[in-house]
Amino acid sequence: MHLSQGPRMTSPFLRPLAGAVLVALAGGAAAQDAPKLAPVVVTATRTAQSPYDIPAAIDVVATPPDGSLDVNLSEQLQSIPGIVARDRQNYAQDEQISIRGFGARSTFGIRGIRLYTDGIPATMPDGQGQVSHFNLDSADRVEVLRGPFSALYGNASGGVVQLFTADGTDPAELHIGVAGGSNGNFRTSVNARGVEGPVDYNVDVSHFRTSGYRDHSAARRESGNAKLGWKIDDDRKLTLVLNTVDIPGAQDPLGLTRAQYQANPRQVASVADTYDTRKSADQQQAGLIYDQRVDDSNSLRVMTYYGQRDITQYLSIPKATEVAQPGNSGGVVDLTSQYGGGDVRWTWSDTLAGRPFEIATGIAYDNQHQHRMGYNNFEGDTLGVRGDLRRDEIDRVFDFDQYAQATWRIAQDWTLMGGIRHSDVHFSSTDRYIARGNPDDSGTQSYSATTPVFGVLWRAAPWAHVYANWGRGFETPTFSEIGYRADNGPGLAFNLQPSRSHNEEVGIKLQPTERTQAGIALFRADSDNELAVATNVGGRTTYQNIARSRRQGIETSFNTELARDLHFVASYTHLQASFRTPFLTCASTGCASPNTPVPAGTRIPGAPRSTGYAALKYGGARGLQGTFDVQTMGSTPVNDLGTESAPGYALFGLSAGYVFDQGPWRVNTFARVDNLADRHVIGSVIVNDGNGRYYEPAPGRSFLVGVDLTWR
C-alpha cells in the first residue's frame, strides 16, 4: 500500500510520551470518589431542567478529559441517538453533523441545525455554521436537542447542539494534557480553573497537529478559550467568554471516486497536488452575558457578542475552466467576515391557577457582514497560487427574531410546554466586480416565518414519562447556496425558497432505577421546498427547491450500571429520509441544466439508514479504567439519483488506563486502539460532488496514548 510522503510524527516524539505513560502507571494512591450529580439541561427550556421532565428528545454528555484526543466534537457525540457526527479526517473542511437527516446535504460547513457555545451562536444568520472553535478541554458538557422544539432557536432548526464551558472551581485546578499516536496526531493543552473572591475563571490553550491518514492532509490548529465570571452581588453576574482559533494552511485531500478508494484509500485526487488545495482559517470571538435575578419571580438575561473570521481557500478548479468562463469566480476564495448580535430574555416563574408556571420571552438579532473575493488559482503556468481578481462582493445577512416559551405543570402528573418564534431574515449582496461576461450580480431578498411548537408530558409512573410534541420549522438557503443561479443568469439565486417543515414526535423516557435510564422516540418531519442540487458546472453548484421530502424514524437509548464501576451504554437510530416528489437533476460532470429524472421515494443523500453505538465501560474516579465499544453506520447514499452509496460498517475500539493521585496531582494515563479489525471504510461522504469524488476514507487501525495531569 502506498504511504504518504508528508511529514509524520516520528518515533522521537512517541518515545517520551510512551515513557511518561509507563512512569505514571508505576505509581498509585488513594482518592475519594466524586458524588454523582443528576444532569440538567437548558437548551430545551432556556432554564435548568432535568431532561427526564422535558417533553422533547434532549441528551447531555459530560466532556471531561476521558482518554480520547479531545479535538473533534464527533468524539463526544457517538452515544447520542439521532445525531450523525463524522470526523472527515480533513481539517480544511469542518466536521459533518446532521440530526435526523437535517444538514445531511452539506458538502462543507454545517447547515440545517443550530450550533451554540455558551448561548453564543456558532450558526450565522443565513443558517451555515461551524464547530472548529469548539474547545473541548474547557467544556463542561454538550447538549443535543432534537425534534420540534428546535424551531424555537430560529432559522436552520433541524436540531440544536450547544457546548457549555465549565465554571471556575474551588479549589483551583490546573490541567495539563498530552496525547499522540498514529498518523502524526499530537495534542497538548493547558487549562486553569479557579475562584478568586467574586471572580471565577476557566482559561485554556491547546495545540493540535496531524500528518493525516491520507496524503496531502496535514494540519495544525491552535485554539484558546476563556470564561471569566464576576459575581457582582447575590442577584447579578457578568460573564465574559473569549475564543480564538487559528488553522494555518490545512491541506485538503479532496474526495475519492469509488475506483480510487478501492485502489488505495490513502491517496488523493491528482488535482489536490496539482493545485495544492488547502485552507487557512483564523477566528476571534468575544461574548458578554449579564444575568440578573430581579425578584423571586423575575430574571433578566442579556447576551451580546462580536467576532471576525478570515478564510483563504485554494480549490482545484481547472485553469481551462476559469479561462473559458468569464463569469467564473476563480479557484481561490478570500473571505473576511465580521459578525455579531445579541439576545435579551425575560423569565417569569411563579404559579398560574395555583400550578407552577414559567415563561421566557425575548428578542434576538444577529448580523453577518462578508467581503467575498475570488482569484484565479494560477499565474501564468504556475498553479496553486493567487492570480487575477475574479470576484469582489459585499454580502450581508441579518435576522431579527422574537420568541416566547412557556412551561406549565397543570397537574401533578401533567406538564404542558409550548412556544412560538417569529423570524425575519434579510439578504443583500453588492457586486463590485463587473466585467464583460460577468454582469452585476447585486440583489436583495427577505424571508420570514412564524414557527409554533407544543408539547405535553405525562408522568405515567415515577419510572415512566410519556411525551408528545408538534411544531413547524424554517430553513433559508445559505449564501453559499444562493451564490449562483441555475439558469446562469445575472444576480444571485434569490428565487430559492426557504424550506418549511411540519414535525411530530412521541416518546417515552424510563428511569426504573437511579442508575438506569432508557428512552425511545418516534419522529416524522415533512418538508416543503427541500433544497437539492440543480447543476454542477466548472466548480459551480446551483440549487433548486424540491416540492416535498420526509424524514421519519425511531431512536432508542439505554444507559445502566451493571455493577459497581461497570457501565453499559447503547443507542440506535433508524432513519428513512427520502424525496416525496420527483424532479430532474444532473447526472454527469459539466451538466448545464437538470436532465435526469429522480423518482419519488429516492433516499436523501448523506443520511445513513441506521446508526448505532454500544460501549461497556469500567472505572471509577480512580484505579483501572477500560472501555470496549462498537460504532455502526448503515449505507449512505451520496447523490440525489441514489446510484452510488457508501457501504455500511461496524468499527470496534478498545481503551485502557489508570487513574491515581500523587500528592496534589491526579494522574490519568490512557491508551486507545480504534478500528481494531483494521477495516477499510468510508468515514464520510461529499454529497453530490460534481466529479464523482464522493468518498472520504477513514483510518485503519490506529493508536493513541496520553496522560492528563490535574493539580488541585
Side-chain angles (χ1 to χ4, degrees):
M1 178 173 292
H2 175 67
L3 298 177
S4 169
Q5 300 303 310
R8 297 189 178 275
M9 190 190 335
T10 58
S11 57
F13 287 96
L14 286 174
R15 280 194 289 266
L17 185 57
V21 175
L22 292 173
V23 169
L25 285 168
Q32 297 297 318
D33 289 346
K36 181 178 180 179
L37 301 177
V40 296
V41 294
V42 302
T43 302
T45 62
R46 292 185 165 89
T47 58
Q49 300 271 352
S50 165
Y52 188 52
D53 290 317
I54 295 174
I58 184 166
D59 286 272
V60 57
V61 56
T63 59
D66 60 355
S68 62
L69 195 58
D70 287 330
V71 170
N72 300 305
L73 186 63
S74 57
E75 299 174 58
Q76 304 293 335
L77 302 181
Q78 296 175 353
S79 64
I80 297 179
I83 185 169
V84 176
R86 302 177 188 258
D87 176 6
R88 304 181 65 176
Q89 299 294 312
N90 181 355
Y91 291 91
Q93 305 291 346
D94 216 334
E95 292 186 65
Q96 290 180 334
I97 299 179
S98 62
I99 295 179
R100 293 180 176 177
F102 286 97
R105 76 177 190 273
S106 179
T107 56
F108 62 91
I110 299 170
R111 302 169 200 172
I113 62 178
R114 301 289 300 182
L115 307 165
Y116 292 86
T117 58
D118 298 304
I120 299 170
T123 298
M124 294 297 101
D126 67 343
Q128 181 161 318
Q130 50 85 33
V131 294
S132 60
H133 67 297
F134 276 34
N135 187 289
L136 298 177
D137 293 315
S138 59
D140 172 65
R141 68 191 190 278
V142 179
E143 297 179 9
V144 178
L145 172 65
R146 309 173 304 284
F149 274 93
S150 305
L152 292 179
Y153 283 83
N155 181 23
S157 50
V160 180
V161 178
Q162 182 156 200
L163 179 143
F164 291 89
T165 303
D167 293 329
T169 58
D170 186 14
E173 297 181 354
L174 175 67
H175 301 265
I176 302 173
V178 181
S182 301
N183 305 312
N185 290 334
F186 183 74
R187 182 263 299 171
T188 59
S189 62
V190 178
N191 179 269
R193 308 178 187 185
V195 177
E196 294 291 340
V199 176
D200 70 273
Y201 60 88
N202 181 344
V203 180
D204 183 272
V205 292
S206 64
H207 162 82
F208 168 72
R209 69 171 181 266
T210 180
S211 300
Y213 167 67
R214 296 173 58 200
D215 297 345
H216 198 79
S217 61
R220 178 168 61 89
R221 178 192 294 174
E222 315 288 347
S223 65
N225 196 74
K227 180 180 177 183
L228 308 174
W230 175 31
K231 189 174 181 180
I232 302 172
D233 53 37
D234 289 341
D235 297 323
R236 296 179 296 166
K237 185 175 183 179
L238 192 64
T239 303
L240 175 66
V241 181
L242 303 173
N243 182 275
T244 180
V245 63
D246 180 29
I247 308 174
Q251 295 177 329
D252 187 350
L254 306 179
L256 298 178
T257 65
R258 177 60 68 90
Q260 289 172 328
Y261 162 73
Q262 292 173 337
N264 177 11
R266 303 189 75 157
Q267 69 172 307
V268 300
S270 59
V271 291
D273 289 322
T274 301
Y275 288 93
D276 191 15
T277 49
R278 61 199 186 275
K279 177 181 175 182
S280 295
D282 183 26
Q283 175 177 301
Q284 298 83 37
Q285 178 179 286
L288 192 62
I289 304 166
Y290 174 75
D291 290 289
Q292 179 177 352
R293 176 182 171 274
V294 179
D295 55 34
D296 290 342
S297 300
N298 295 277
S299 61
L300 173 68
R301 181 178 177 87
V302 180
M303 183 275 296
T304 184
Y305 70 98
Y306 174 81
Q308 61 181 28
R309 183 176 177 88
D310 298 326
I311 294 175
T312 303
Q313 186 169 13
Y314 288 77
L315 306 174
S316 60
I317 298 175
K319 174 181 176 180
T321 299
E322 297 175 58
V323 172
Q325 298 177 356
N328 193 287
S329 59
V332 179
V333 177
D334 188 343
L335 184 63
T336 301
S337 300
Q338 293 85 38
Y339 58 91
D343 184 287
V344 179
R345 183 193 319 155
W346 189 277
T347 302
W348 181 73
S349 180
D350 208 316
T351 60
L352 181 64
R355 304 301 302 178
F357 180 82
E358 182 175 82
I359 185 170
T361 62
I363 57 174
Y365 171 80
D366 304 286
N367 178 57
Q368 182 183 24
H369 184 277
Q370 293 183 331
H371 187 188
R372 186 185 299 269
M373 303 184 73
Y375 300 86
N376 288 333
N377 58 2
F378 64 89
E379 199 169 59
D381 293 329
T382 305
L383 307 179
V385 297
R386 180 177 300 197
D388 293 337
L389 180 68
R390 299 296 297 270
R391 186 176 190 176
D392 185 357
E393 67 188 42
I394 303 296
D395 295 332
R396 186 189 179 199
V397 57
F398 69 90
D399 62 37
F400 180 62
D401 292 14
Q402 310 85 45
Y403 62 89
Q405 182 173 351
T407 303
W408 188 19
R409 188 160 181 170
I410 60 172
Q412 182 64 30
D413 296 331
W414 293 88
T415 295
L416 302 180
M417 191 168 82
I420 192 168
R421 185 174 184 121
H422 178 77
S423 301
D424 289 295
V425 185
H426 301 270
F427 290 80
S428 67
S429 180
T430 303
D431 191 352
R432 307 201 306 186
Y433 181 80
I434 302 170
R436 186 173 182 178
N438 192 338
D440 190 348
D441 291 322
S442 302
T444 62
Q445 180 63 286
S446 298
Y447 304 105
S448 65
T450 300
T451 51
V453 296
F454 176 77
V456 58
L457 182 136
W458 173 42
R459 296 169 181 83
W463 52 270
H465 290 182
V466 182
Y467 70 94
N469 53 51
W470 168 91
R472 295 178 179 174
F474 168 67
E475 180 181 350
T476 71
T478 67
F479 251 125
S480 297
E481 290 158 339
I482 63 177
Y484 303 105
R485 289 174 45 164
D487 61 4
N488 294 319
L492 302 182
F494 288 128
N495 61 306
L496 292 177
Q497 298 299 308
S499 175
R500 301 176 189 269
S501 59
H502 300 265
N503 309 301
E504 303 164 352
E505 178 184 13
V506 295
I508 182 169
K509 302 180 180 185
L510 305 172
Q511 286 192 354
T513 70
E514 179 184 352
R515 297 183 179 274
T516 299
Q517 301 88 35
I520 183 170
L522 301 171
F523 59 89
R524 172 180 286 185
D526 289 303
S527 299
D528 299 326
N529 292 321
E530 178 87 21
L531 279 180
V533 168
T535 65
N536 273 309
V537 180
R540 287 184 172 186
T541 300
T542 67
Y543 294 84
Q544 60 182 324
N545 289 114
I546 308 304
R548 291 185 294 117
S549 64
R550 174 173 292 172
R551 298 165 172 87
Q552 63 183 5
I554 183 171
E555 297 171 353
T556 62
S557 62
F558 182 73
N559 187 342
T560 190
E561 185 176 32
L562 300 173
R564 179 177 173 82
D565 296 335
L566 183 62
H567 300 263
F568 178 70
V569 179
S571 63
Y572 175 77
T573 304
H574 178 76
L575 173 67
Q576 296 175 342
S578 61
F579 299 111
R580 304 299 291 175
T581 52
F583 61 97
L584 297 177
T585 191
C586 286
S588 60
T589 302
C591 172
S593 62
N595 56 14
T596 304
V598 178
T602 302
R603 292 172 61 188
I604 294 175
R609 179 84 73 185
S610 62
T611 57
Y613 175 82
L616 189 64
K617 303 182 179 183
Y618 175 80
R622 66 185 188 278
L624 184 65
Q625 315 284 311
T627 298
F628 177 74
D629 57 68
V630 57
Q631 181 182 9
T632 67
M633 187 80 66
S635 67
T636 304
V638 297
N639 57 10
D640 288 341
L641 288 168
T643 55
E644 287 199 45
S645 63
Y649 59 81
L651 298 179
F652 297 88
L654 180 66
S655 64
Y658 197 84
V659 179
F660 63 92
D661 289 342
Q662 186 68 48
W665 291 94
R666 171 156 292 187
V667 183
N668 174 17
T669 64
F670 56 89
R672 179 168 177 84
V673 183
D674 283 301
N675 194 356
L676 278 168
D678 197 23
R679 295 190 59 194
H680 291 305
V681 301
I682 296 167
S684 58
V685 298
I686 304 173
V687 171
N688 287 313
D689 183 83
N691 297 290
R693 297 194 292 261
Y694 305 117
Y695 306 108
E696 295 182 302
R701 186 185 299 116
S702 55
F703 304 88
L704 177 74
V705 293
V707 57
D708 287 319
L709 307 174
T710 301
W711 174 84
R712 293 183 175 93

